[in-house]
Amino acid sequence: MLYAHEVVLNELAQGLRPMAQGVEWFEGLSEDDRRKALHALVLFCGQARACEEDVPESIARSGIRPTHTPAVMLTKWRFGMAGLPAYELTKSFRLLVALFSIADTRRRVLHCADGCGHEWHNLPERLRDTT
């Protein structure tokens, strides 16, 4: 069973939830929970097999500037965004969701196109409606 935050993050990555709603959800979390969500996103990016070639598109999709600290970190393939100052967390969130979305989309196309047993690729309607 997926935790509620895992459902939200996967819905964002799959385009089932608008980013504006995701940012609102993220900014409504305590600072500690925002840092935990970023840590989860980093793990999801790894599981989805994100690669350095995904970085430029991730920055473009995220809407943050390439000169912002989280973007600079990602171009160096560094994922310590959860340790950044609080004012950098939302930018980090937008960037990591974009990276996760790119990698997960590729994974679904290459490995899950004919269906799969990944719970996060088969989100029930009831979860989408209640989260």
Side-chain angles (χ1 to χ4, degrees), residues 2-63:
L2 294 172
Y3 292 106
H5 75 278
E6 293 172 327
V7 171
V8 172
L9 298 174
N10 276 281
E11 286 176 337
L12 288 165
Q14 294 174 36
L16 301 172
R17 182 184 292 252
M19 180 54 83
Q21 194 179 84
V23 169
E24 183 180 330
W25 168 81
F26 182 76
E27 290 180 342
L29 299 173
S30 69
E31 184 178 327
D32 186 55
D33 284 343
R34 282 182 281 166
R35 293 181 189 283
K36 288 177 183 174
L38 291 177
H39 181 71
L41 272 169
V42 169
L43 293 176
F44 293 172
C45 287
Q47 290 171 338
R49 297 186 179 106
C51 58
E52 290 184 64
E53 291 77 24
D54 299 330
V55 173
E57 186 179 350
S58 301
I59 294 169
R61 280 193 196 184
S62 71

Side-chain angles (χ1 to χ4, degrees), residues 12 18 24 28-29 55 78 84 88 107 118:
L12 288 165
E24 183 180 330
L29 299 173
V55 173
R78 299 218 170 109
L84 290 173
E88 297 281 8
R107 185 174 185 192
H118 297 126

Side-chain angles (χ1 to χ4, degrees), residues 71-130:
V72 172
M73 288 175 71
L74 194 58
T75 59
K76 296 178 181 184
W77 207 236
R78 299 218 170 109
F79 290 90
M81 288 87 164
L84 290 173
Y87 63 86
E88 297 281 8
L89 299 182
T90 298
K91 291 180 233 172
S92 300
F93 175 75
R94 294 177 67 89
L95 182 62
L96 290 173
V97 167
L99 180 65
F100 178 37
S101 178
I102 292 164
D104 189 58
T105 297
R106 181 177 50 246
R107 185 174 185 192
R108 281 185 284 127
V109 168
L110 295 176
H111 303 290
C112 302
D114 296 324
C116 65
H118 297 126
E119 190 174 2
W120 53 92
H121 288 162
N122 298 287
L123 298 173
E125 288 294 329
R126 64 180 174 76
L127 286 178
R128 291 184 201 157
D129 295 338
T130 60

